[in-house]
């Protein structure tokens, strides 16, 4: 899988959402290799779109389409300044439900001083066990970037249930793992809450 993370600020979230709707109507049918998009705007105007493709080649074919170029040149004007792009083939998908039915999405971004060790620690939170503690979690998308940077997309049934879940106490061994993960963190992670997420896929 190949992922593009597009971010920027917008003063017109409704227009940005309408542009995404138009892409679905007019361009999605011809986007071969496109697997889905998770997008939204936070309360303070931070816009993010996580776009999934089968491969980097599929993403390049999509970008090369004239209609895609026209759409993007129009859509980029809806951002306050130039949006940023992060691309990665370092992607892990975990699901215990249907993320496309999520009522709330939280995007976390940060940096670790030791990506290999962080992955070992994250593997100690298997989703099959997590679902007993956090049944409101439908799935996650974990994306690695250069220099230890990362993006994690978490899909929840609803924000209310997510807030209840995050107050639950972890088992003691998981708390130890979380403490080590925190020590590896470079600075504090950033949280982007998408209370009205856009969840699109070819289906």
């Amino acid at each position: 899988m190949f992922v593009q993370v597009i971010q920027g600020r917008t003063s017109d979230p409704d227009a940005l959402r309408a542009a995404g709707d138009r892409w679905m109507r007019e361009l999605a049918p011809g986007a071969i290799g496109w697997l889905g998009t998770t997008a939204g705007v936070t309360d303070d105007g931070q816009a993010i779109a996580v776009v999934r493709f089968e491969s980097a080649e599929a993403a390049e074919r999509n970008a090369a389409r004239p209609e895609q170029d026209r759409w993007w040149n129009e859509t980029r004007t809806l951002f306050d300044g130039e949006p940023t792009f992060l691309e990665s083939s370092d992607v892990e998908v975990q699901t215990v439900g249907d993320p496309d039915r999520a009522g709330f999405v939280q995007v976390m971004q940060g940096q670790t001083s030791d990506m290999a060790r962080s992955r070992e620690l994250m593997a100690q939170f298997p989703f099959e066990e997590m679902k007993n503690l956090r049944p409101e979690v439908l799935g996650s998308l974990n994306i690695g970037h250069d220099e230890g940077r990362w993006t994690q997309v978490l899909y929840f049934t609803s924000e209310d249930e997510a807030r209840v879940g995050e107050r639950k106490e972890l088992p003691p061994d998981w708390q130890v793992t979380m403490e080590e993960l925190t020590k590896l963190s470079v600075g504090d992670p950033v949280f982007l809450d998408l209370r009205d997420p856009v969840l699109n896929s070819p289906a």
Side-chain angles (χ1 to χ4, degrees), residues 12 21 36 50 57 64 67-68 72 88 96 102 104-105 111 117 126 128 150 154 156 164 170 180 188 191 197:
D12 197 344
D21 291 342
V50 181
E57 291 74 21
E67 60 269 35
Q68 173 69 28
W72 175 244
S88 179
V96 291
F104 174 66
V105 172
Q111 185 176 13
R117 180 55 182 161
E128 285 301 314
W150 52 267
L154 288 166
F156 299 92
V164 170
L170 294 176
E180 185 174 351
D188 295 325
F191 294 81

Side-chain angles (χ1 to χ4, degrees), residues 78-100:
L78 302 175
F79 290 88
D80 303 337
E82 194 66 21
T84 63
F85 278 77
L86 287 172
E87 298 183 330
S88 179
S89 295
D90 182 2
V91 184
E92 180 185 16
V93 179
Q94 293 182 303
T95 60
V96 291
D98 182 1
D100 281 345

Side-chain angles (χ1 to χ4, degrees), residues 24 34-35 100 200-203:
M24 281 298 297
W34 169 68
L35 300 177
D100 281 345
N200 287 322
S201 63

Side-chain angles (χ1 to χ4, degrees), residues 38-40 66 71 79 89 93 101 104-105 108 143-144 146 148 156 168 179 192:
T38 298
W71 176 87
F79 290 88
S89 295
V93 179
R101 299 178 67 87
F104 174 66
V105 172
M108 298 172 58
I143 308 161
D146 293 338
F156 299 92
K168 291 181 179 178
E179 289 172 3
L192 304 176

Side-chain angles (χ1 to χ4, degrees), residues 138-160:
L138 299 173
S140 73
L141 188 66
N142 301 302
I143 308 161
H145 308 297
D146 293 338
E147 299 179 345
R149 299 187 181 277
W150 52 267
T151 297
Q152 183 181 49
V153 186
L154 288 166
Y155 300 84
F156 299 92
T157 52
S158 71
E159 182 175 8
D160 287 344

Side-chain angles (χ1 to χ4, degrees), residues 117 121-122 124-126 129-130 133 165-184:
R117 180 55 182 161
L121 294 169
M122 288 295 293
Q124 297 178 26
F125 301 109
E129 294 183 26
M130 278 288 289
L133 180 68
E166 69 186 12
R167 291 194 292 270
K168 291 181 179 178
E169 187 172 344
L170 294 176
D173 55 334
W174 289 11
Q175 291 182 32
V176 172
T177 301
M178 281 300 301
E179 289 172 3
E180 185 174 351
L181 275 170
T182 300
K183 290 177 180 178
L184 293 175

Side-chain angles (χ1 to χ4, degrees), residues 3-6 36-39 48-52 107 141 143 151 153:
V3 169
Q4 293 177 328
V5 182
I6 307 162
T37 299
T38 298
I48 186 166
V50 181
V51 189
R52 309 185 306 276
V107 181
L141 188 66
I143 308 161
T151 297
V153 186

